Amino acid sequence: MIDVEGVRIKSTGIDLRNDQQQLIAQTFLDTMKQKDAEILAKLTPAELSPEESKRLQTVEAAAKEFLTAKIRKLGIPAENIHLPSVKYIDPSGEDKKNKVMRFGYHGGLSIVCVILDHATRGDLFNAFLVTTHELSHASTAKEARIIWKDKQGKPVIEKESIARGLGITGGQGEGIGIGLENGLAICDEVDFCNGYLRDKFPADYQKRLKWIERIKKRFDFIQLNKSEFGPIPEEILVPFIFSQSPKVGFLSRLEVPILKDDLLKNYMLIRRIAVDIGRTLVSDQNTGLSVAELFNLGRTYLDRHRYARTNEAHRKIVEIYGGKKARAIFQVDDGGENIDQAMKMISTKG
Protein backbone atom coordinates (compact mmCIF):
# COMPACT_ATOMS: atom_id res chain seq x y z
CA MET A 1 0.00 0.00 0.00
CA ILE A 2 1.46 3.36 -1.08
CA ASP A 3 0.16 6.74 0.10
CA VAL A 4 0.28 9.47 -2.56
CA GLU A 5 -1.27 12.88 -1.91
CA GLY A 6 -3.68 11.45 0.66
CA VAL A 7 -4.75 8.48 -1.50
CA ARG A 8 -3.83 4.93 -0.50
CA ILE A 9 -3.04 2.98 -3.65
CA LYS A 10 -2.69 -0.78 -3.69
CA SER A 11 -1.75 -3.12 -6.55
CA THR A 12 -2.92 -6.74 -6.40
CA GLY A 13 -2.21 -9.64 -8.72
CA ILE A 14 1.51 -8.98 -9.23
CA ASP A 15 4.54 -8.63 -6.96
CA LEU A 16 6.34 -5.31 -7.17
CA ARG A 17 9.35 -3.76 -5.48
CA ASN A 18 8.62 -0.70 -3.37
CA ASP A 19 10.05 1.70 -5.97
CA GLN A 20 7.91 0.08 -8.68
CA GLN A 21 4.82 0.41 -6.50
CA GLN A 22 5.62 4.07 -5.92
CA LEU A 23 5.99 4.73 -9.65
CA ILE A 24 2.76 2.91 -10.54
CA ALA A 25 0.86 4.69 -7.76
CA GLN A 26 2.02 8.13 -8.92
CA THR A 27 1.27 7.28 -12.56
CA PHE A 28 -2.20 6.03 -11.59
CA LEU A 29 -2.91 9.20 -9.60
CA ASP A 30 -1.77 11.44 -12.48
CA THR A 31 -3.92 9.45 -14.92
CA MET A 32 -7.00 9.77 -12.70
CA LYS A 33 -6.49 13.52 -12.42
CA GLN A 34 -6.27 13.74 -16.19
CA LYS A 35 -9.52 11.78 -16.53
CA ASP A 36 -11.15 14.17 -14.05
CA ALA A 37 -10.01 17.13 -16.14
CA GLU A 38 -11.41 15.52 -19.30
CA ILE A 39 -14.81 14.99 -17.67
CA LEU A 40 -14.96 18.59 -16.46
CA ALA A 41 -14.00 19.88 -19.91
CA LYS A 42 -17.11 18.21 -21.39
CA LEU A 43 -19.51 19.82 -18.93
CA THR A 44 -21.16 23.21 -19.34
CA PRO A 45 -20.44 25.64 -16.49
CA ALA A 46 -23.54 27.23 -14.99
CA GLU A 47 -24.20 30.85 -15.96
CA LEU A 48 -24.22 32.70 -12.66
CA SER A 49 -24.83 36.28 -11.73
CA PRO A 50 -22.23 37.96 -9.48
CA GLU A 51 -24.68 37.68 -6.55
CA GLU A 52 -25.29 33.96 -7.16
CA SER A 53 -21.56 33.30 -7.43
CA LYS A 54 -20.97 35.15 -4.18
CA ARG A 55 -23.63 33.17 -2.32
CA LEU A 56 -22.35 29.84 -3.64
CA GLN A 57 -18.74 30.67 -2.79
CA THR A 58 -19.74 31.83 0.69
CA VAL A 59 -21.58 28.58 1.40
CA GLU A 60 -18.77 26.48 -0.09
CA ALA A 61 -16.25 28.19 2.20
CA ALA A 62 -18.54 27.74 5.21
CA ALA A 63 -19.09 24.05 4.40
CA LYS A 64 -15.33 23.52 4.21
CA GLU A 65 -14.86 25.26 7.56
CA PHE A 66 -17.61 23.09 9.08
CA LEU A 67 -16.08 19.86 7.75
CA THR A 68 -12.52 20.86 8.67
CA ALA A 69 -13.57 21.62 12.26
CA LYS A 70 -15.37 18.27 12.52
CA ILE A 71 -12.43 16.34 11.08
CA ARG A 72 -9.92 18.01 13.42
CA LYS A 73 -12.20 17.23 16.36
CA LEU A 74 -11.93 13.56 15.35
CA GLY A 75 -8.15 13.83 15.74
CA ILE A 76 -7.29 13.75 12.03
CA PRO A 77 -4.07 15.71 11.20
CA ALA A 78 -4.59 18.88 9.16
CA GLU A 79 -2.32 17.60 6.36
CA ASN A 80 -4.77 14.74 5.74
CA ILE A 81 -7.69 17.06 5.01
CA HIS A 82 -8.30 17.48 1.27
CA LEU A 83 -11.21 19.63 0.09
CA PRO A 84 -11.24 20.42 -3.66
CA SER A 85 -13.06 23.33 -5.27
CA VAL A 86 -16.66 22.82 -6.40
CA LYS A 87 -17.64 23.14 -10.07
CA TYR A 88 -21.15 24.43 -10.72
CA ILE A 89 -22.72 22.82 -13.78
CA ASP A 90 -25.62 23.75 -16.08
CA PRO A 91 -28.02 20.77 -16.25
CA SER A 92 -28.67 21.33 -19.97
CA GLY A 93 -25.03 20.46 -20.66
CA GLU A 94 -24.94 17.57 -18.22
CA ASP A 95 -23.08 14.54 -19.60
CA LYS A 96 -24.97 11.41 -18.49
CA LYS A 97 -22.24 9.12 -19.83
CA ASN A 98 -19.82 10.51 -17.26
CA LYS A 99 -22.21 9.76 -14.40
CA VAL A 100 -22.87 13.36 -13.42
CA MET A 101 -26.05 12.99 -11.41
CA ARG A 102 -29.13 15.20 -11.40
CA PHE A 103 -28.14 17.20 -8.30
CA GLY A 104 -24.44 16.60 -7.80
CA TYR A 105 -21.49 14.30 -8.17
CA HIS A 106 -18.19 13.47 -6.53
CA GLY A 107 -16.17 11.16 -8.69
CA GLY A 108 -12.64 10.29 -9.70
CA LEU A 109 -10.24 11.76 -7.17
CA SER A 110 -10.75 15.49 -7.53
CA ILE A 111 -14.22 16.18 -9.00
CA VAL A 112 -16.99 17.83 -7.04
CA CYS A 113 -19.86 18.97 -9.31
CA VAL A 114 -23.13 20.59 -8.31
CA ILE A 115 -26.00 20.85 -10.82
CA LEU A 116 -27.76 24.21 -10.62
CA ASP A 117 -31.38 23.60 -11.58
CA HIS A 118 -32.71 26.76 -9.95
CA ALA A 119 -29.91 29.29 -10.36
CA THR A 120 -32.05 31.61 -12.48
CA ARG A 121 -34.70 31.95 -9.75
CA GLY A 122 -32.31 32.63 -6.94
CA ASP A 123 -33.32 29.69 -4.75
CA LEU A 124 -29.94 28.01 -4.37
CA PHE A 125 -30.85 25.99 -1.30
CA ASN A 126 -30.72 22.72 -3.27
CA ALA A 127 -27.21 23.57 -4.39
CA PHE A 128 -26.12 24.49 -0.86
CA LEU A 129 -27.23 21.07 0.41
CA VAL A 130 -25.57 19.17 -2.43
CA THR A 131 -22.35 21.15 -2.04
CA THR A 132 -22.07 20.08 1.60
CA HIS A 133 -22.93 16.46 0.78
CA GLU A 134 -20.36 16.12 -2.01
CA LEU A 135 -17.63 17.93 -0.08
CA SER A 136 -18.25 15.55 2.80
CA HIS A 137 -17.46 12.62 0.48
CA ALA A 138 -14.44 14.46 -0.91
CA SER A 139 -13.06 15.13 2.58
CA THR A 140 -12.72 11.44 3.50
CA ALA A 141 -9.76 9.11 3.22
CA LYS A 142 -9.58 7.44 -0.20
CA GLU A 143 -8.24 4.12 -1.34
CA ALA A 144 -7.57 3.05 -4.93
CA ARG A 145 -7.02 -0.55 -5.96
CA ILE A 146 -5.37 -1.62 -9.20
CA ILE A 147 -6.14 -5.24 -10.06
CA TRP A 148 -3.67 -6.92 -12.40
CA LYS A 149 -4.04 -10.06 -14.49
CA ASP A 150 -1.43 -12.05 -16.39
CA LYS A 151 -2.21 -12.15 -20.10
CA GLN A 152 0.20 -14.05 -22.33
CA GLY A 153 3.03 -13.65 -19.88
CA LYS A 154 2.49 -9.91 -19.44
CA PRO A 155 0.84 -8.17 -16.46
CA VAL A 156 -2.13 -6.05 -17.58
CA ILE A 157 -4.46 -3.89 -15.52
CA GLU A 158 -7.80 -5.69 -15.43
CA LYS A 159 -9.78 -3.34 -13.16
CA GLU A 160 -9.40 -0.14 -11.20
CA SER A 161 -11.61 0.92 -8.30
CA ILE A 162 -11.73 3.80 -5.86
CA ALA A 163 -13.41 3.77 -2.44
CA ARG A 164 -14.02 6.70 -0.10
CA GLY A 165 -14.66 6.76 3.62
CA LEU A 166 -16.52 3.63 4.69
CA GLY A 167 -16.68 2.29 1.15
CA ILE A 168 -14.60 -0.83 0.49
CA THR A 169 -13.07 -1.97 -2.78
CA GLY A 170 -13.74 -5.67 -3.25
CA GLY A 171 -11.35 -8.21 -4.72
CA GLN A 172 -12.90 -7.86 -8.17
CA GLY A 173 -13.27 -4.10 -8.00
CA GLU A 174 -16.86 -4.06 -6.78
CA GLY A 175 -17.67 -1.62 -4.02
CA ILE A 176 -19.44 -2.37 -0.74
CA GLY A 177 -20.30 -0.18 2.23
CA ILE A 178 -21.29 2.64 -0.13
CA GLY A 179 -24.60 3.21 1.65
CA LEU A 180 -22.77 3.61 4.96
CA GLU A 181 -20.50 6.24 3.43
CA ASN A 182 -23.44 8.03 1.82
CA GLY A 183 -25.40 8.01 5.07
CA LEU A 184 -22.62 9.78 6.94
CA ALA A 185 -22.37 12.43 4.22
CA ILE A 186 -26.12 12.94 4.66
CA CYS A 187 -25.56 13.38 8.41
CA ASP A 188 -23.10 16.19 7.64
CA GLU A 189 -25.66 17.71 5.27
CA VAL A 190 -28.34 17.64 7.99
CA ASP A 191 -26.06 19.27 10.57
CA PHE A 192 -24.92 22.01 8.19
CA CYS A 193 -28.48 22.69 7.02
CA ASN A 194 -30.02 22.88 10.49
CA GLY A 195 -27.14 25.00 11.71
CA TYR A 196 -25.52 27.36 9.21
CA LEU A 197 -28.11 27.35 6.38
CA ARG A 198 -31.07 27.80 8.71
CA ASP A 199 -29.54 30.97 10.14
CA LYS A 200 -27.92 32.30 6.96
CA PHE A 201 -30.89 31.79 4.63
CA PRO A 202 -33.96 31.94 6.89
CA ALA A 203 -36.49 32.68 4.11
CA ASP A 204 -35.55 29.57 2.10
CA TYR A 205 -35.43 27.48 5.26
CA GLN A 206 -38.83 28.70 6.49
CA LYS A 207 -40.37 28.06 3.07
CA ARG A 208 -39.33 24.41 3.35
CA LEU A 209 -40.66 24.23 6.89
CA LYS A 210 -44.08 25.19 5.52
CA TRP A 211 -43.76 22.57 2.79
CA ILE A 212 -43.29 19.93 5.49
CA GLU A 213 -46.93 20.35 6.52
CA ARG A 214 -48.01 19.38 3.00
CA ILE A 215 -45.55 16.51 2.73
CA LYS A 216 -46.62 15.03 6.08
CA LYS A 217 -50.14 14.54 4.68
CA ARG A 218 -48.96 12.61 1.63
CA PHE A 219 -49.67 8.89 1.54
CA ASP A 220 -46.06 7.94 0.70
CA PHE A 221 -44.72 9.85 3.71
CA ILE A 222 -47.38 8.42 6.05
CA GLN A 223 -46.44 4.91 4.92
CA LEU A 224 -42.71 5.62 5.32
CA ASN A 225 -43.27 7.04 8.82
CA LYS A 226 -45.12 3.84 9.81
CA SER A 227 -42.46 1.55 8.33
CA GLU A 228 -39.20 0.30 9.85
CA PHE A 229 -37.69 3.68 8.92
CA GLY A 230 -40.01 5.59 11.25
CA PRO A 231 -40.87 7.39 13.30
CA ILE A 232 -39.10 10.16 11.39
CA PRO A 233 -38.12 13.21 13.51
CA GLU A 234 -39.78 16.29 12.02
CA GLU A 235 -36.83 18.51 12.94
CA ILE A 236 -34.54 16.76 10.45
CA LEU A 237 -36.85 16.94 7.41
CA VAL A 238 -35.79 20.24 5.79
CA PRO A 239 -32.56 18.88 4.22
CA PHE A 240 -34.59 16.19 2.45
CA ILE A 241 -36.99 18.63 0.75
CA PHE A 242 -35.89 19.87 -2.64
CA SER A 243 -37.53 22.46 -4.86
CA GLN A 244 -38.38 21.50 -8.45
CA SER A 245 -40.29 23.15 -11.30
CA PRO A 246 -42.12 21.83 -14.35
CA LYS A 247 -40.17 22.54 -17.53
CA VAL A 248 -43.19 23.65 -19.59
CA GLY A 249 -44.16 27.26 -20.32
CA PHE A 250 -45.70 29.33 -17.54
CA LEU A 251 -45.63 26.29 -15.21
CA SER A 252 -41.86 26.70 -14.97
CA ARG A 253 -42.52 29.53 -12.51
CA LEU A 254 -44.09 27.12 -10.03
CA GLU A 255 -42.11 25.55 -7.22
CA VAL A 256 -42.98 21.98 -6.37
CA PRO A 257 -41.53 20.48 -3.18
CA ILE A 258 -40.27 16.92 -3.48
CA LEU A 259 -39.18 14.64 -0.66
CA LYS A 260 -35.86 12.90 -1.35
CA ASP A 261 -37.02 9.71 0.35
CA ASP A 262 -33.97 7.73 -0.83
CA LEU A 263 -31.71 10.10 1.14
CA LEU A 264 -34.11 10.12 4.09
CA LYS A 265 -34.13 6.32 4.24
CA ASN A 266 -30.34 6.28 4.11
CA TYR A 267 -30.18 8.76 7.00
CA MET A 268 -32.61 6.72 9.10
CA LEU A 269 -30.61 3.54 8.42
CA ILE A 270 -27.40 5.21 9.62
CA ARG A 271 -29.26 6.63 12.60
CA ARG A 272 -30.38 3.11 13.63
CA ILE A 273 -26.90 1.64 13.14
CA ALA A 274 -25.21 4.50 15.02
CA VAL A 275 -27.58 4.14 17.99
CA ASP A 276 -26.89 0.39 18.14
CA ILE A 277 -23.14 1.03 17.98
CA GLY A 278 -23.47 3.71 20.66
CA ARG A 279 -25.07 1.18 23.01
CA THR A 280 -22.04 -1.11 22.66
CA LEU A 281 -19.65 1.72 23.52
CA VAL A 282 -21.18 3.03 26.74
CA SER A 283 -20.03 1.95 30.13
CA ASP A 284 -22.33 0.68 32.88
CA GLN A 285 -22.35 4.19 34.35
CA ASN A 286 -23.74 5.68 31.10
CA THR A 287 -26.54 3.24 30.31
CA GLY A 288 -29.10 6.03 30.79
CA LEU A 289 -27.98 8.00 27.72
CA SER A 290 -30.76 9.29 25.46
CA VAL A 291 -31.25 8.03 21.89
CA ALA A 292 -29.80 11.32 20.61
CA GLU A 293 -26.69 10.87 22.76
CA LEU A 294 -26.27 7.26 21.63
CA PHE A 295 -26.66 8.39 18.01
CA ASN A 296 -23.95 11.01 18.41
CA LEU A 297 -21.65 8.52 20.10
CA GLY A 298 -22.11 5.89 17.39
CA ARG A 299 -21.85 8.41 14.59
CA THR A 300 -18.56 9.76 15.96
CA TYR A 301 -17.24 6.19 16.03
CA LEU A 302 -18.28 5.64 12.40
CA ASP A 303 -16.88 9.01 11.33
CA ARG A 304 -13.53 8.37 12.97
CA HIS A 305 -13.10 5.12 11.04
CA ARG A 306 -14.45 6.79 7.92
CA TYR A 307 -11.33 8.98 7.92
CA ALA A 308 -8.88 6.40 9.28
CA ARG A 309 -10.06 3.58 6.94
CA THR A 310 -9.18 0.86 9.44
CA ASN A 311 -12.25 -1.33 8.68
CA GLU A 312 -12.95 -1.42 12.42
CA ALA A 313 -16.41 0.04 11.84
CA HIS A 314 -17.27 -2.77 9.45
CA ARG A 315 -16.10 -5.34 11.97
CA LYS A 316 -18.21 -3.67 14.66
CA ILE A 317 -21.30 -3.93 12.43
CA VAL A 318 -20.66 -7.65 11.87
CA GLU A 319 -20.17 -8.10 15.63
CA ILE A 320 -23.51 -6.40 16.42
CA TYR A 321 -25.75 -7.84 13.70
CA GLY A 322 -24.06 -11.04 12.56
CA GLY A 323 -22.81 -11.87 9.10
CA LYS A 324 -26.13 -12.11 7.22
CA LYS A 325 -27.54 -8.77 8.41
CA ALA A 326 -24.16 -7.04 8.06
CA ARG A 327 -23.91 -8.26 4.46
CA ALA A 328 -27.30 -6.69 3.70
CA ILE A 329 -26.10 -3.38 5.20
CA PHE A 330 -22.88 -3.42 3.15
CA GLN A 331 -24.85 -4.04 -0.05
CA VAL A 332 -26.86 -0.81 0.24
CA ASP A 333 -25.71 1.68 -2.39
CA ASP A 334 -25.99 5.48 -2.57
CA GLY A 335 -29.15 5.25 -4.67
CA GLY A 336 -31.01 3.30 -2.00
CA GLU A 337 -30.83 -0.11 -3.65
CA ASN A 338 -31.29 -2.94 -1.08
CA ILE A 339 -32.02 -0.42 1.69
CA ASP A 340 -35.55 -1.67 2.47
CA GLN A 341 -34.29 -5.21 2.94
CA ALA A 342 -31.38 -4.07 5.12
CA MET A 343 -33.58 -1.95 7.39
CA LYS A 344 -36.14 -4.70 7.74
CA MET A 345 -33.46 -7.22 8.66
CA ILE A 346 -31.78 -5.13 11.36
CA SER A 347 -35.20 -4.15 12.79
CA THR A 348 -36.08 -7.82 13.23
CA LYS A 349 -34.89 -9.51 16.39
CA GLY A 350 -32.98 -12.76 16.14
Side-chain angles (χ1 to χ4, degrees), residues 316-330:
K316 173 68 76 174
I317 288 170
V318 174
E319 174 190 315
I320 292 173
Y321 299 110
K324 187 176 181 180
K325 292 181 180 180
R327 192 179 309 114
I329 292 170
F330 298 150

Side-chain angles (χ1 to χ4, degrees), residues 10 64 116-117 218 240 271 306:
K10 182 179 182 181
K64 288 178 176 178
L116 292 182
D117 271 341
R218 286 179 10 188
F240 301 101
R271 186 183 179 94
R306 185 184 182 210

Side-chain angles (χ1 to χ4, degrees), residues 26-285:
Q26 186 64 60
T27 303
F28 173 80
L29 187 65
D30 293 343
T31 302
M32 289 302 300
K33 287 182 177 179
Q34 180 60 37
K35 288 181 179 178
D36 290 351
E38 290 171 1
I39 291 174
L40 290 174
K42 294 177 182 178
L43 299 172
T44 305
E47 293 185 9
L48 300 168
S49 69
E51 177 59 27
E52 288 166 342
S53 292
K54 182 179 178 181
R55 292 173 75 192
L56 288 165
Q57 290 168 6
T58 299
V59 171
E60 180 181 340
K64 288 178 176 178
E65 288 179 10
F66 159 76
L67 290 166
T68 299
K70 186 199 76 167
I71 296 167
R72 285 178 173 166
K73 190 174 180 181
L74 292 170
I76 308 299
E79 60 268 21
N80 291 344
I81 302 173
H82 302 277
L83 288 164
S85 297
V86 177
K87 305 295 182 182
Y88 300 99
I89 306 301
D90 187 318
S92 63
E94 182 182 340
D95 187 345
K96 297 289 186 183
K97 292 180 181 178
N98 285 314
K99 300 181 181 179
V100 178
M101 301 292 114
R102 172 162 174 70
F103 292 110
Y105 175 65
H106 171 238
L109 290 174
S110 57
I111 292 179
V112 172
C113 292
V114 172
I115 312 300
L116 292 182
D117 271 341
H118 297 290
T120 55
R121 238 198 349 264
D123 184 347
L124 294 173
F125 211 83
N126 292 6
F128 299 155
L129 293 169
V130 175
T131 295
T132 313
H133 182 101
E134 302 305 337
L135 282 173
S136 177
H137 284 312
S139 71
T140 61
K142 302 172 189 67
E143 180 180 313
R145 181 172 291 191
I146 309 170
I147 302 164
W148 300 79
K149 190 172 184 179
D150 187 279
K151 291 187 178 179
Q152 298 177 341
K154 182 181 179 182
V156 200
I157 295 178
E158 183 183 30
K159 286 185 180 179
E160 303 166 353
S161 58
I162 297 172
R164 300 165 189 82
L166 289 181
I168 299 177
T169 56
Q172 295 301 315
E174 72 277 9
I176 61 173
I178 297 170
L180 290 170
E181 166 58 26
N182 202 53
L184 286 164
I186 295 168
C187 288
D188 286 338
E189 191 178 347
V190 170
D191 285 352
F192 188 70
C193 175
N194 289 332
Y196 178 86
L197 294 180
R198 178 185 59 194
D199 297 336
K200 189 75 174 179
F201 303 98
D204 291 331
Y205 190 92
Q206 290 297 321
K207 177 172 64 177
R208 284 160 172 80
L209 276 181
K210 292 178 182 177
W211 283 343
I212 288 174
E213 294 307 311
R214 291 160 57 183
I215 285 173
K216 281 165 54 182
K217 297 175 183 177
R218 286 179 10 188
F219 178 75
D220 56 345
F221 179 80
I222 292 171
Q223 291 298 105
L224 183 62
N225 202 39
K226 290 180 178 178
S227 73
E228 291 87 357
F229 293 96
I232 296 166
E234 186 173 326
E235 65 271 13
I236 59 96
L237 279 177
V238 166
F240 301 101
I241 299 174
F242 276 47
S243 169
Q244 282 192 326
S245 297
K247 303 297 182 184
V248 183
F250 72 93
L251 292 177
S252 63
R253 299 179 182 179
L254 297 176
E255 286 187 282
V256 180
I258 62 168
L259 178 69
K260 292 291 291 175
D261 56 354
D262 56 335
L263 298 181
L264 180 54
K265 284 182 176 182
N266 207 156
Y267 174 83
M268 295 304 290
L269 176 68
I270 283 290
R271 186 183 179 94
R272 178 71 61 86
I273 292 169
V275 168
D276 288 345
I277 288 175
R279 287 197 178 98
T280 72
L281 300 176
V282 297
S283 63
D284 292 338
Q285 290 77 23

Side-chain angles (χ1 to χ4, degrees), residues 293-305:
E293 289 169 323
L294 290 171
F295 168 61
N296 290 331
L297 190 62
R299 180 186 163 193
T300 298
Y301 176 90
L302 288 168
D303 252 337
R304 186 170 289 116
H305 293 293

